[in-house]
Amino acid sequence: MRALARADHTAHDDRMAHALMVYGADRAEAGRLPEAVATTTESVAIRHRLFRNNPAAYTRDLTQSLSNLALLLVHARQPSEALSAAEAVSLIELAQAPELHGAHFGRCLSILAVCLNANDRQPGRLPAGVDAVRQYEAVWKADPVRYAFDLARVLARVGQYLADEERWSEALTPLEDGLAVTEAYAHVDPATYAPLISDLRTALNDCQRRITVSPVGRLSMGGWGCRMDRRDRGPQAASRKG
């Protein structure tokens, strides 16, 4: 593939960038983070060149590679570099048409929140996480089975961010809603859902123990997140998707 790309990069750059991103995900799963970072960085460079020539066609591809790179850099303990990549993703996405938002933008925002958290940027991580919930909630309503896990995961993160700030009562709502979503859809993929359900129950129990007799008012999910209808009982390190 490299030989083909060198011979005619205009014809093969797109495939090369995708192959590098997939290889980076493989290396990350094998615990070989330096290789994963290097190959994903190369994928970003190729897709950035394609994006400059044709933003409409390559925005999503570039932000996918950048998002993967940001996550890999967090795992590689390079938080400042990870944050730079995640912020670039969000800026690119925000500059595009609204129809490019949704699940893809939700993932970008969720990764931005993770990177802000890794850099001890507490004021920024919660708004990014809340915005990620909004994006995933919209697509979950349209396709609940496909997006239930992603929605529950970002709800769990928002709850954890609030708990980290000792806002125990406010953390209850996203944690309860995340648990309701996971329990309703766990039958879709029990092995994938089980760890998240366990984490949500642990976090919820911890918050409930810490709430005092006169708790702070609970954050209303009606303004920004998912309040699941209990009657509806209908990853991820670096993504391989291009």
Side-chain angles (χ1 to χ4, degrees), residues 8-215:
D8 185 0
H9 71 85
T10 59
H12 301 289
D13 268 358
D14 191 21
R15 291 170 59 197
M16 183 66 190
H18 177 70
L20 286 165
M21 191 180 68
V22 171
Y23 184 74
D26 287 339
R27 296 301 85 193
E29 289 178 5
R32 299 168 69 170
L33 277 175
E35 290 180 48
V37 169
T39 54
T40 307
T41 299
E42 190 175 353
S43 174
V44 167
I46 294 171
R47 284 182 162 170
H48 200 276
R49 182 169 64 246
L50 294 168
F51 169 79
R52 285 199 302 268
N53 293 330
N54 191 347
Y58 292 105
T59 294
R60 181 154 302 203
D61 291 342
L62 174 59
T63 56
Q64 181 72 60
S65 289
L66 274 168
S67 295
N68 281 13
L69 179 61
L71 278 180
L72 290 170
L73 288 167
V74 168
H75 290 302
R77 300 181 185 277
Q78 299 179 51
S80 60
E81 292 88 345
L83 181 56
S84 295
E87 288 176 333
V89 172
S90 297
L91 288 173
I92 291 169
E93 279 285 294
L94 285 169
Q96 306 306 310
E99 58 266 22
L100 289 177
H101 293 186
H104 185 79
F105 192 42
R107 180 174 185 263
C108 295
L109 289 166
S110 179
I111 291 171
L112 176 60
V114 169
C115 294
L116 287 165
N117 187 55
N119 281 271
D120 295 323
R121 298 267 292 274
Q122 291 188 3
R125 65 181 181 178
L126 184 58
V130 168
D131 285 343
V133 168
R134 289 196 182 108
Q135 296 295 327
Y136 275 121
E137 181 188 12
V139 294
W140 170 74
K141 287 178 178 177
D143 192 347
V145 173
R146 180 177 181 182
Y147 292 110
F149 183 84
D150 293 321
L151 174 60
R153 182 166 52 186
V154 293
L155 283 166
R157 285 176 180 162
V158 167
Q160 189 58 58
Y161 296 151
L162 288 165
D164 288 345
E165 296 174 18
E166 300 185 1
R167 296 162 66 177
W168 316 116
S169 295
E170 294 174 72
L172 287 178
T173 301
L175 293 174
E176 288 173 349
D177 282 358
L179 183 60
V181 172
T182 55
E183 289 179 337
Y185 295 93
H187 65 279
V188 174
D189 188 348
T192 296
Y193 275 84
L196 182 56
I197 290 174
S198 177
D199 290 345
L200 280 161
R201 286 175 176 165
T202 299
L204 188 57
N205 289 338
D206 185 59
C207 286
Q208 289 169 337
R209 285 197 302 269
R210 292 173 183 272
I211 291 174
T212 60
V213 175
S214 300

